[in-house]
């Protein structure tokens, strides 16, 4: 037979007793009850004469953007090319911004185009040609010379833009 009392009781060994899990449940239920009670008193309530407040959502200011009014004007562009007898591979910006090309032109040569553009912006104009001698180009917009350039020598490329 063994010696009675040789083993220590569970409480003496530091192990939890049978009531310990029940105590944890009581504590958890108590904490939940306190949280519900605090929420009940803190949260606003609806009454017949006062509706429940809406969730607070920061308002975003309304911004109305007016479309910019761009006034278009029609500009008159005159391209002029002078020099020897002929120029080759002539390219210029025509009406509507399209490129116009001619393989060979007799000099002196000029063309007038009308281009629409916003009133506060200059109209882009460009002329390119290959020389068969000396070449001089001039671009006028609404009567004002905006570009002028010259080259000398066979096969040289002349580029004039504004």
């Amino acid at each position: 037979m063994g010696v009675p009392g040789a083993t220590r009781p569970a409480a003496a060994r530091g192990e939890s007793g049978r009531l310990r899990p029940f105590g944890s449940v009581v504590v958890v239920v108590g904490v939940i009850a306190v949280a519900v009670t605090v929420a009940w008193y803190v949260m606003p309530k609806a009454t017949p004469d006062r509706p429940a407040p809406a969730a607070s959502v920061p308002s975003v200011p309304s911004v109305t953007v007016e479309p910019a009014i761009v006034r278009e004007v029609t500009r008159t562009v005159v391209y002029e090319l002078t020099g020897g007898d002929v120029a080759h591979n002539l390219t210029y910006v025509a009406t509507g911004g399209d490129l116009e090309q001619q393989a060979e032109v007799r000099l002196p040569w000029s063309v007038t185009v009308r281009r629409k553009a916003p009133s506060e912006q200059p109209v882009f104009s460009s002329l390119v040609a290959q020389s068969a001698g000396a070449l001089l180009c001039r671009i006028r917009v609404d009567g004002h010379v905006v570009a002028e350039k010259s080259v000398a020598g066979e096969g040289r490329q002349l580029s004039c833009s504004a």
Side-chain angles (χ1 to χ4, degrees):
M1 296 219 167
V3 180
T7 60
R8 296 190 333 206
R13 291 190 304 237
E15 295 176 8
S16 62
R18 296 178 76 192
L19 295 178
R20 187 140 177 106
F22 180 70
S24 298
V25 170
V26 170
V27 170
V28 169
V29 169
V31 169
I32 291 173
V34 169
V36 167
T37 305
V38 169
W40 180 262
Y41 283 106
V42 173
M43 297 294 289
K45 297 171 192 64
T47 61
D49 59 334
R50 187 180 77 190
S56 176
V57 177
S59 64
V60 177
S62 175
V63 178
T64 303
V65 178
E66 296 289 329
I69 298 173
V70 178
R71 200 179 108 219
E72 278 195 346
V73 295
T74 301
R75 305 219 189 255
T76 303
V77 180
V78 178
Y79 296 102
E80 301 171 350
L81 192 59
T82 58
D85 291 336
V86 295
H88 304 285
N89 303 322
L90 173 71
T91 305
Y92 62 95
V93 181
T95 302
D98 297 328
L99 292 179
E100 239 355 93
Q101 294 182 317
Q102 297 179 18
E104 188 173 287
V105 294
R106 289 255 170 246
L107 300 179
W109 172 90
S110 80
V111 67
T112 302
V113 297
R114 301 211 188 287
R115 306 257 319 273
K116 288 188 178 192
S119 61
E120 63 277 348
Q121 292 181 357
V123 63
F124 176 73
S125 306
S126 178
L127 177 139
V128 178
Q130 192 170 13
S131 70
L135 283 181
L136 169 74
C137 77
R138 184 177 295 122
I139 301 174
R140 298 177 194 267
V141 177
D142 294 334
H144 302 289
V145 175
V146 295
E148 190 171 57
K149 193 169 182 184
S150 63
V151 294
E154 181 100 18
R156 303 271 319 259
Q157 184 170 337
L158 173 68
S159 177
C160 224
S161 60

